[in-house]
Amino acid sequence: DVKVTQSSRYLVKRTGEKVFLECVQDMDHENMFWYRQDPGLGLRLIYFSYDVKMKEKGDIPEGYSVSREKKERFSLILESASTNQTSMYLCASSAEQPNQPQHFGDGTRLSIL
Amino acid sequence: GEDVEQSLFLSVREGDSSVINCTYTDSSSTYLYWYKQEPGAGLQLLTYIFSNMDMKQDQRLTVLLNKKDKHLSLRIADTQTGDSAIYFCAEFGYGGSQGNLIFGKGTKLSVKP
């Protein structure tokens, strides 16, 4: 079974802090994704990566950056956290071939105070 | 651009069948997916259907695809309280880069005993 592991289930940080959310997958998948999920807005794609050191902006990249130094790990960085970044963050991975399903981690519920 | 629409809520009684509907706009979609999200968890891939199929059955789940109307449905037979969750429909969107799924906002299924 595909395993996507997010480092924290719950995280509380303060406004202005630099926040790192980590995601690791064990299926040698090429593609990795970061979403945020908010009530009434569904899932919104922040960034994705289709190879090591490659990254592409999703629909809402502002205020975020990402890092993919190794194939199995994809990090989401909030450079200076703000209260409107309080949300549920979901990481996913998929194989390289088009149409392959995305497999999700359990999510990180991030609160910015 | 591509869009996926779902109704937001569905309520059924235990033992009844549930039908969750979804419409999509990208006529080039080749795979369509159903995901389930239980409270506080990530998204779990339930099933998927290839666009050259009309129907796919997997135990209590039946997926119907009407490609002409761009309509997808998920039927859950003998719905149980454990089926209470949010169900997301997703299509593979060629408008984005490879591996990019377009998600609906999710249908919250409530099962009453």
Side-chain angles (χ1 to χ4, degrees):
Chain A
D1 264 0
V2 176
K3 185 71 176 174
V4 178
T5 304
Q6 294 184 231
S7 53
S8 306
R9 290 298 304 275
Y10 302 94
L11 206 53
V12 180
K13 296 290 182 181
R14 294 206 173 275
T15 304
E17 281 192 71
K18 191 169 185 176
V19 181
F20 293 86
L21 301 184
E22 306 286 349
C23 175
V24 176
Q25 50 94 5
D26 66 357
M27 282 302 293
D28 202 36
H29 282 167
E30 286 76 14
N31 301 326
M32 295 189 75
F33 307 83
W34 275 107
Y35 295 87
R36 63 177 283 178
Q37 183 181 18
D38 300 288
L41 297 177
L43 274 73
R44 292 182 291 168
L45 182 64
I46 305 171
Y47 266 99
F48 62 101
S49 167
Y50 51 87
D51 203 351
V52 175
K53 297 193 187 296
M54 306 299 288
K55 60 183 179 183
E56 293 278 345
K57 292 180 180 179
D59 299 318
I60 52 162
E62 296 78 19
Y64 302 94
S65 62
V66 289
S67 172
R68 187 136 182 234
E69 295 297 318
K70 293 185 178 181
K71 191 175 185 180
E72 67 270 18
R73 186 180 294 272
F74 192 35
S75 303
L76 180 69
I77 303 154
L78 285 65
E79 297 289 344
S80 177
S82 63
T83 54
N84 63 11
Q85 292 178 309
T86 291
S87 186
M88 173 75 138
Y89 289 87
L90 292 165
C91 174
S93 72
S94 70
E96 180 181 20
Q97 296 82 5
N99 301 314
Q100 290 302 300
Q102 292 180 18
H103 299 270
F104 284 80
D106 285 334
T108 296
R109 186 161 291 283
L110 175 64
S111 297
I112 307 296
L113 304 179
Chain B
E2 298 92 351
D3 198 13
V4 176
E5 299 281 343
Q6 301 177 241
S7 53
L8 293 181
F9 302 99
L10 177 65
S11 181
V12 300
R13 293 216 169 271
E14 194 174 18
D16 288 350
S17 291
S18 309
V19 179
I20 303 170
N21 295 302
C22 169
T23 57
Y24 61 97
T25 57
D26 186 353
S27 57
S28 63
S29 289
T30 52
Y31 278 94
L32 296 128
Y33 305 87
W34 283 105
Y35 284 86
K36 176 184 180 182
Q37 184 181 34
E38 296 183 358
L43 274 67
Q44 170 197 355
L45 178 67
L46 272 183
T47 187
Y48 60 92
I49 188 167
F50 189 53
S51 60
N52 68 353
M53 299 167 67
D54 298 325
M55 185 181 89
K56 180 179 180 182
Q57 187 150 7
D58 184 1
Q59 299 182 333
R60 291 191 297 121
L61 304 178
T62 304
V63 178
L64 294 177
L65 175 61
N66 182 328
K67 204 174 176 189
K68 174 176 165 290
D69 294 338
K70 296 179 195 167
H71 182 266
L72 182 74
S73 67
L74 174 70
R75 179 176 180 270
I76 305 173
D78 187 26
T79 313
Q80 302 297 307
T81 54
D83 295 323
S84 293
I86 301 176
Y87 291 81
F88 290 90
C89 167
E91 64 164 347
F92 180 79
Y94 279 102
S97 295
Q98 62 186 62
N100 200 351
L101 294 185
I102 310 298
F103 287 88
K105 287 186 168 52
T107 300
K108 185 174 183 178
L109 175 64
S110 299
V111 182
K112 299 186 189 318

